[in-house]
Amino acid sequence: MQHERRVPIVAFVAGNYAPDLCGIADYTENLRRALRECGTESTVLTTSDSAESCRIPSVLDALTNWDFGGVISLVRTIRRVGANIVHVQYTRHNSSRFNHRAEILWL
């Protein structure tokens, strides 16, 4: 019996993304580039500031905060983009909107 091979579609959840200069933005961009070279599709779900500054169609403004409502909205976006892998880059010090909260466990 043959199994259908699913193409990986990664949703990167990150508070920062290129061209921001920080470890998370750089790491996410480099990992995304390496995976693209292997044929893996991806979308970045980030803040409006990061999404607007990079102006790449697959980088979406989808991260407002880590409260329950923000996480529910994020999960809906993950489903909408068809991701079957979610890679979360989370830092407690991005801003007051991203304080360490238990809601991250809802992902």
Side-chain angles (χ1 to χ4, degrees), residues 12-69:
F12 288 98
V13 178
N16 303 86
Y17 191 67
D20 293 348
L21 299 176
C22 75
I24 288 177
D26 296 339
Y27 169 83
T28 304
E29 171 63 17
N30 290 332
L31 179 56
R32 189 171 189 228
R33 184 180 308 119
L35 290 172
R36 183 175 37 242
E37 290 172 4
C38 295
T40 299
E41 297 178 35
S42 67
T43 299
V44 176
L45 308 176
T46 189
T47 63
S48 60
D49 291 343
S50 288
E52 290 171 12
S53 62
C54 76
R55 298 181 179 188
I56 299 170
S58 60
V59 178
L60 305 177
D61 169 11
L63 193 56
T64 55
N65 57 53
W66 290 113
D67 66 6
F68 185 75

Side-chain angles (χ1 to χ4, degrees), residues 48-92:
S48 60
D49 291 343
S50 288
E52 290 171 12
S53 62
C54 76
R55 298 181 179 188
I56 299 170
S58 60
V59 178
L60 305 177
D61 169 11
L63 193 56
T64 55
N65 57 53
W66 290 113
D67 66 6
F68 185 75
V71 172
I72 293 298
S73 176
L74 179 61
V75 169
R76 287 183 181 135
T77 303
I78 290 167
R79 289 180 177 162
R80 189 180 80 238
V81 300
N84 49 29
I85 298 171
V86 178
H87 183 86
V88 179
Q89 286 295 306
Y90 178 78
T91 180
R92 294 186 325 171

